[in-house]
Each structure stands twice: as C-alpha cells, then as structure tokens.
Amino acid sequence: MLKDIWAVVKPWFFICISTTFFFITVAKLISEGDLDTLRSKKKFGEAWFGNLWRFVGPKAQAEAEGWVISLLEGRVENGRAAVKTDAVSHALEGVVLEVGAGSGMWTKVLADIALASETGEGRTPIKVYGVEPNPMSAAALKRRVEQLGLDGRYEVIPAGIEDLEKESPLKPGSVDCIMTVQCLCSIPEPEKNMRLLYEYLKKGGRWYVYEHVRADEGVFIPAFQKFTNFFWKRLMGTCQLCRPTTDTLHKIGEWESIDLAVRSTESRYAAMPHVVGTLKKAV
Ligand SMILES: C[S@@+](CC[C@H](N)C(=O)[O-])C[C@H]1O[C@@H](n2cnc3c(N)ncnc32)[C@H](O)[C@@H]1O
C-alpha cells in the first residue's frame, strides 16, 4: 500500500526539491556575483539542474543501482534480474558510449566492469566515452574519472549526442555497446538523436537501457502523469515524464532482438514507470 502511494506521488517529491534548488541556485549565483549565468536562460538552467542532480542523483542512483549493475553485467531478461552467477546475456564490452553520463554516478560500476573485462577470460576490455553536455556535470564526471584512476579507459566528451561527430573521435558503426541510464527522458529531439545513436552502434552491437517512460496502464495514471508533466518539464531541466521511449527505440532501426520491459518490481500505479533491458542491432 505505502509502496503504491509512493509510486504515485514520487514525481511531486522531485518537483518540490527542484523548486527549492531554484532558490538555492539564485542565492548561490548572487553570492558569487555571477550575474552572467543569472541573466542567461540556458546557463541558469544548466547551473540549476547541475546543483539539483548533485543532490538528487545519489538518491536516484541508490534506487537504480541493483538494476543497472544487473543490466550492465548481462543479467536482465524480460524485466527481471537474475542472480549474480546467472548471466542471461552479454556484459558490457569493447567500445562503450555512456550517453548523458551526468556527474559520474555509474563510473564506479564501469570501473568494476572494466577490471573484470581485463582479467576475465574471453572478455573484451572496455573503453568508455562519456557524453555529457552540462558543463557542471561534465567537470564533476572528469574529477570522478581521475579519482577512480580510469585515465585512458574513460574519456569524457563535454558535448551532447548531436555534437558527437564534431567533438568525439568516434565514427558511425564503431561502438560495441551504448548505455543510456535515465537520460533519454532529457535529450532534445529524441527520435532524431536516438536514430543518430543507433548509427554509431556496430552491427550486432548492444544498447543497454534503464529509463523512465510514459505510463500506459489504465486511464488514471497516464492522465495524472500528463498533468504532472506540465509542471515537471518546467522544473526538472530538460527532462520529460511522458516519453514513449520503448516505441521510439523499436522504430529507429532494425534490431536482431529486443528485450525491453517494465521492471518486475514496479508498482502498477507508478507515475514514473521504468523499463529495463537490451536491444541488439541487426547484422
Ligand atoms: C537525469 S540526468 C541522468 C544522468 C546519469 N545518467 C545518471 O544516471 O546519474 C540526464 C542527463 O542527460 C544529459 N543530457 C541532456 N541532453 C543531452 C544530450 N543532448 N546529449 C547527451 N546527454 C544529454 C543531462 O545533461 C543529464 O546529465
């Protein structure tokens, strides 16, 4: 019962925190005398979301961690996570593109996978490219990479997906694995940019997805989600609550297999339902 109530009101909890961070960001910029950022809508939005995510990110990470580790280790199937020893598909390997890497919430998980891939038999070592356009988050991500001693194995690209061609050494068809964790809700022009990411994937490459998506079950929750999104999209950076990400991924290109489902633990009343799983590009 409590779990279901929380599942309904959760977006409003984040909206309240974000509203508080609006005032914190204004106060911080005034105290630093940074009127330039205060006057620019884009720069202020980035500073606001950067401050917010530094606080909210670890909470979102704590909730997602078990799922994301299982996903990246190849232990998720049909929205369910298998136990540690039971891999149902492949773990992350080779050239990896972490999209919307934020301030580096998953860098430690990636460092562990990198170590396992270097010592494990028959595994291809990973080299990660982390794409992050928010300057505050990209700077924090760089610090995290240095802290974890990942130099040479994790390269930060301080740009958005749309600038990959200009800002990264990657070429279309050169990426073994893409990971998107709670970021397809935030990218601009989702269909165009997801298609662009699809082009970067090698034939037979895998896309690991953990995203909150549009609610489709019943009538009340989808309507409530739409109502909430009116406020959400104005207060949560570029994030949107009602993205039909599963449908978009289905139609952006040809897939050999798609295993993407709502988390088995999700409440049926979730106003922010999450899908988890892997898509394999057709060869
Ligand atoms: C909700 S945060 C999630 C960050 C991180 N994946 C995590 O789980 O902590 C969404 C991220 O998407 C990033 N983002 C927004 N637009 C983007 C774009 N065009 N290309 C790549 N990332 C983008 C934001 O800057 C932000 O860091």
Side-chain angles (χ1 to χ4, degrees), residues 53 100-102 105-106 132-134 160-162 181-183 186-188:
W53 199 251
M105 296 296 165
W106 306 109
E132 178 48 58
N134 183 309
I161 310 164
E162 56 280 24
V181 176
Q182 315 206 90
C183 80
S186 297
I187 61 171

Side-chain angles (χ1 to χ4, degrees), residues 99-114:
V99 184
S103 47
M105 296 296 165
W106 306 109
T107 324
K108 173 71 174 81
V109 173
L110 288 169
D112 293 344
I113 293 178

Side-chain angles (χ1 to χ4, degrees), residues 192-210:
K192 182 177 156 200
N193 282 318
M194 282 193 230
R195 219 178 276 280
L196 189 75
L197 287 173
Y198 177 88
E199 294 304 325
Y200 273 83
L201 206 51
K202 275 183 190 166
K203 288 185 174 161
R206 297 183 297 278
W207 189 332
Y208 296 75
V209 178
Y210 180 86

Side-chain angles (χ1 to χ4, degrees), residues 177-250:
C177 297
I178 292 176
M179 66 175 270
T180 51
V181 176
Q182 315 206 90
C183 80
L184 296 178
C185 51
S186 297
I187 61 171
E189 301 183 87
E191 194 167 329
K192 182 177 156 200
N193 282 318
M194 282 193 230
R195 219 178 276 280
L196 189 75
L197 287 173
Y198 177 88
E199 294 304 325
Y200 273 83
L201 206 51
K202 275 183 190 166
K203 288 185 174 161
R206 297 183 297 278
W207 189 332
Y208 296 75
V209 178
Y210 180 86
E211 294 288 343
H212 67 82
V213 295
R214 184 179 70 190
D216 287 325
E217 287 280 312
V219 177
F220 173 73
I221 295 295
F224 176 72
Q225 192 191 49
K226 253 192 207 149
F227 166 74
T228 304
N229 193 45
F230 177 82
F231 302 93
W232 180 276
K233 65 187 182 192
R234 288 167 171 79
L235 294 164
M236 295 296 295
T238 53
C239 187
Q240 300 271 339
L241 268 188
C242 306
R243 287 234 163 131
T245 301
T246 305
D247 295 349
T248 312
L249 283 166
H250 271 258

Side-chain angles (χ1 to χ4, degrees), residues 25-223:
T25 307
V26 172
K28 205 164 164 252
L29 292 172
I30 291 175
S31 74
E32 287 165 0
D34 189 351
L35 300 183
D36 185 37
T37 303
L38 210 50
R39 277 196 217 105
S40 152
K41 196 175 169 204
K42 182 171 182 286
K43 282 190 193 166
F44 178 76
E46 286 172 347
W48 180 8
F49 191 78
N51 286 329
L52 172 69
W53 199 251
R54 256 209 311 232
F55 180 77
V56 165
K59 289 159 190 57
Q61 182 199 22
E63 197 208 318
E65 192 162 33
W67 281 104
V68 173
I69 294 174
S70 301
L71 173 70
L72 303 182
E73 288 182 352
R75 290 188 285 108
V76 169
E77 191 176 44
N78 198 19
R80 292 179 184 280
V83 291
K84 190 102 183 130
T85 46
D86 290 347
V88 285
S89 98
H90 293 276
L92 214 58
E93 63 183 347
V95 175
V96 175
L97 185 57
E98 184 186 8
V99 184
S103 47
M105 296 296 165
W106 306 109
T107 324
K108 173 71 174 81
V109 173
L110 288 169
D112 293 344
I113 293 178
L115 190 67
S117 73
E118 279 156 27
T119 50
E121 228 175 85
R123 301 226 357 216
T124 317
I126 67 169
K127 161 87 196 226
V128 187
Y129 293 87
V131 183
E132 178 48 58
N134 183 309
M136 247 175 106
S137 302
L141 178 62
K142 266 192 190 143
R143 287 195 297 275
R144 189 82 181 118
V145 166
E146 283 161 17
Q147 242 175 30
L148 290 166
L150 276 174
D151 306 314
R153 281 176 292 172
Y154 194 118
E155 192 172 318
V156 178
I157 299 164
I161 310 164
E162 56 280 24
D163 294 321
L164 266 178
E165 198 188 338
K166 248 186 346 204
E167 304 290 339
S168 85
L170 296 168
K171 298 274 168 274
S174 68
V175 171
D176 293 288
C177 297
I178 292 176
M179 66 175 270
T180 51
V181 176
Q182 315 206 90
C183 80
L184 296 178
C185 51
S186 297
I187 61 171
E189 301 183 87
E191 194 167 329
K192 182 177 156 200
N193 282 318
M194 282 193 230
R195 219 178 276 280
L196 189 75
L197 287 173
Y198 177 88
E199 294 304 325
Y200 273 83
L201 206 51
K202 275 183 190 166
K203 288 185 174 161
R206 297 183 297 278
W207 189 332
Y208 296 75
V209 178
Y210 180 86
E211 294 288 343
H212 67 82
V213 295
R214 184 179 70 190
D216 287 325
E217 287 280 312
V219 177
F220 173 73
I221 295 295

